[in-house]
Amino acid sequence: MADLNLKLATLAPALDTDRPSEVIEKVILEKSSGIRLMSFSWIEKEGKHSLTVSGVASDRQALLAFQTQLNSAEEFSKITLPVSDLAKDKNIPFRMNLVPLGYHVAQ
């Protein structure tokens, strides 16, 4: 029972506002038809949080539009998309790092 309680405590949010699923939902709501989301990685380190989103964009314009849409949603304090992700013209794999508002950047 103690082992189960330890595992549950690890998964429990530290604060009432620490809900990765809500942040992921915000990203999904901003996705357009040219974007296919493949994975999400929530990083928490020493009280600092960030979300890494991986996927495939149909083309460069779709990827830039997705980044612009996330920026205009004003839900994130920092959005990082490596320039190397824009090297291809079509079927572009990408990895975007986001810091939700009210969270600190994880290193």
Side-chain angles (χ1 to χ4, degrees), residues 23-24 26-28 30 37 39-43 48-54 66-71 73 75-82 94-101 103-106:
V23 177
I24 291 169
K26 291 173 186 175
V27 173
I28 292 170
E30 299 301 330
L37 301 176
S39 68
F40 297 93
S41 177
W42 180 257
I43 300 165
K48 299 176 182 180
H49 301 84
S50 67
L51 176 69
T52 300
V53 178
S54 298
F66 181 48
Q67 181 183 25
T68 300
Q69 190 67 23
L70 288 169
N71 276 323
E75 299 286 345
F76 304 97
S77 63
K78 183 177 179 182
I79 299 173
T80 307
L81 176 66
F94 67 89
R95 185 176 170 101
M96 190 178 294
N97 294 310
L98 309 127
V99 177
L101 282 176
Y103 292 85
H104 301 286
V105 180

Side-chain angles (χ1 to χ4, degrees), residues 11 28-29 44 56 63 73 80 97:
L11 294 173
I28 292 170
L29 290 173
E44 186 277 323
V56 177
L63 183 53
T80 307
N97 294 310

